[in-house]
Amino acid sequence: MHTATIELPSRWQPDLFADQVALARFDVATTPEIESALDSKAPVFIGVSGGKDSQALAYRLCDHFDNRGHAGPRLLIHSNLGRVEWRQSLPVCERLAARLGVELVVVRRQAGDMMDRWLSRWEANVARYANLACVKLILPWSTPSTRFCTAELKSAVIASAMRRRFPTGEVISAVGIRREESSVRARMPVWRRDERTVRKSGMGHTWNPILGWSRTDVIDYVRSRGDRLHEAYTTYGSTRVSCAFCIMGSEHDLRASAGCADNAAIYREMVELEVLSTFSFQGSRWLGDAAPHLLDAPLLARLDAKTVDWVGTSMGGLIGIGVAALKGSALRRLVINDVGPTID
């Protein structure tokens, strides 16, 4: 791993730190592969979410490119997750692009947003179960071990946009992950070959330039640029910005998100799917418990039910059988009607 020479931005507040300390804190991690790609004027897509890490990443890299003399294209890219996003996330990205004077590319999954993906996953599984194509129902939600939310709605659509925009030559995807965030990220390399953006006529690179930064480094750097953080942090006290209600979110962050009125509608829609599917949003945590005061009386009654009596006709009977087989099912009595071994 190489460390680039650091030049502090013109808006840096010198009273915060001694220069030597600042140089060590805000370094840009790099490798020979990245340096070679930058020398060849490879375009760089800087992933931004509206969160603090991507803000710091964008500011730091643009300064680094200016001082390095990188002449290739630089763009911010944001994958909009639809109604599960904090409403302020896109405006934060737009403000960031305007302040840096670079283009913001906004991409979306064509088949629907994150909530649509969860709903369609549940509906498809119910249909397979009713047609005896599977023997058990599976949860609609993504999980820490099956993060199709990130793979399908972020990584895949961003890579597709990068390939379309630059069908030839090298291309770099810069990401603002940090080692201190998790044990998995602690093992991440500074550079890796990005198979999603490798084309017959060009290499794709994934670059993690701020791997060694701490949370304090990130916040101080954004503030040194005279920018402000997302309201999720400053107004509602969340520790992360991703989906308003994230499968990786702590109980604190779920409650913080529920405190924002903009998130009330998607909160209710997600709890509806919890109740319909009988699968909790997180393995041991029901989203409906985060802010029950936001739920209407009928939904709250269904959520609070300790036991359920199920009357199922046709497909409803088959689904009831599947629910009854689940470990810890609240189903007490099951009546099935017009249920046969096959579906005509």
Side-chain angles (χ1 to χ4, degrees):
M1 183 184 79
H2 292 217
T3 299
T5 302
I6 305 306
E7 307 84 6
L8 295 182
S10 58
R11 295 189 182 186
W12 178 255
Q13 299 175 18
D15 60 327
L16 290 179
F17 311 99
D19 285 353
Q20 293 82 358
V21 176
L23 293 174
R25 288 181 66 189
F26 306 118
D27 66 344
V28 174
T30 186
T31 68
E33 294 85 356
I34 292 297
E35 292 304 304
S36 175
L38 294 176
D39 287 341
S40 68
K41 302 180 182 180
V44 181
F45 286 83
I46 304 171
V48 291
S49 64
K52 60 186 185 304
D53 295 335
S54 62
Q55 276 182 283
L57 174 72
Y59 280 123
R60 187 66 193 90
L61 283 190
C62 285
D63 277 331
H64 178 61
F65 295 154
D66 287 343
N67 289 301
R68 189 187 187 281
H70 174 245
R74 64 184 75 165
L75 309 94
L76 305 188
I77 189 163
H78 172 69
S79 181
N80 190 302
L81 303 180
R83 55 197 191 273
V84 302
E85 278 209 343
W86 286 84
R87 189 167 297 179
Q88 196 184 76
S89 292
L90 181 56
V92 169
C93 296
E94 291 170 337
R95 183 181 74 233
L96 182 61
R99 297 186 90 232
L100 290 169
V102 299
E103 178 185 352
L104 172 66
V105 179
V106 180
V107 296
R108 297 174 176 83
R109 176 176 175 264
Q110 294 302 307
D113 68 10
M114 187 71 256
M115 190 68 214
D116 292 327
R117 179 66 176 89
W118 287 327
L119 289 167
S120 64
R121 175 178 162 92
W122 174 246
E123 292 164 359
N125 182 239
V126 167
R128 287 195 303 271
Y129 184 83
N131 286 310
L132 306 182
C134 61
V135 297
K136 67 176 183 178
L137 295 170
I138 60 173
L139 74 169
W141 315 108
S142 36
T143 69
S145 61
T146 56
R147 293 183 63 182
F148 57 85
C149 47
T150 298
E152 295 181 19
L153 281 92
K154 290 186 178 181
S155 302
V157 293
I158 287 174
S160 177
M162 291 172 63
R163 293 193 303 268
R164 287 195 306 271
R165 184 68 173 266
F166 296 100
T168 61
E170 294 189 272
V171 64
I172 299 172
S173 173
V175 185
I177 65 171
R178 297 180 295 108
R179 290 194 177 104
E180 77 167 16
E181 293 180 289
S182 70
S183 59
V184 172
R185 292 187 171 184
R187 299 190 295 271
M188 291 285 189
V190 172
W191 167 88
R192 66 176 174 82
R193 173 187 168 100
D194 188 352
E195 298 296 341
R196 298 163 303 186
T197 54
V198 170
R199 292 135 294 142
K200 290 182 179 179
S201 54
M203 170 70 76
H205 306 269
T206 292
W207 183 23
N208 302 314
I210 62 169
L211 269 176
W213 289 30
S214 70
R215 180 177 182 274
T216 301
D217 293 339
V218 166
I219 293 173
D220 285 344
Y221 195 82
V222 172
R223 288 175 174 166
S224 78
R225 297 305 305 266
D227 204 354
R228 59 189 184 277
L229 299 175
H230 195 293
E231 67 177 2
Y233 307 118
T234 59
T235 301
Y236 300 101
S238 180
T239 66
R240 60 188 296 141
V241 171
S242 50
C243 295
F245 301 99
C246 177
I247 60 163
M248 306 288 287
S250 65
E251 182 177 1
H252 166 84
D253 286 346
L254 297 180
R255 295 184 186 278
S257 297
C260 176
D262 292 339
N263 298 333
I266 189 60
Y267 174 76
R268 285 189 283 267
E269 187 172 5
M270 292 173 71
V271 174
E272 282 274 5
L273 184 54
E274 273 193 321
V275 172
L276 175 66
S277 68
T278 74
F279 284 99
S280 58
F281 179 57
Q282 296 176 341
S284 60
R285 185 179 295 127
W286 290 84
L287 185 59
D289 291 335
H293 60 282
L294 296 178
L295 308 176
D296 58 27
L299 181 55
L300 190 59
R302 291 162 62 198
L303 184 67
D304 284 343
K306 299 297 186 292
T307 60
V308 175
D309 295 334
W310 188 297
V311 179
T313 298
S314 189
M315 183 184 291
L318 291 172
I319 296 172
I321 294 171
V323 171
L326 296 174
K327 183 178 180 180
S329 173
L331 200 149
R332 180 180 61 171
R333 296 187 180 94
L334 173 62
V335 177
I336 59 176
N337 173 54
D338 193 23
V339 174
T342 60
I343 302 297
D344 296 326

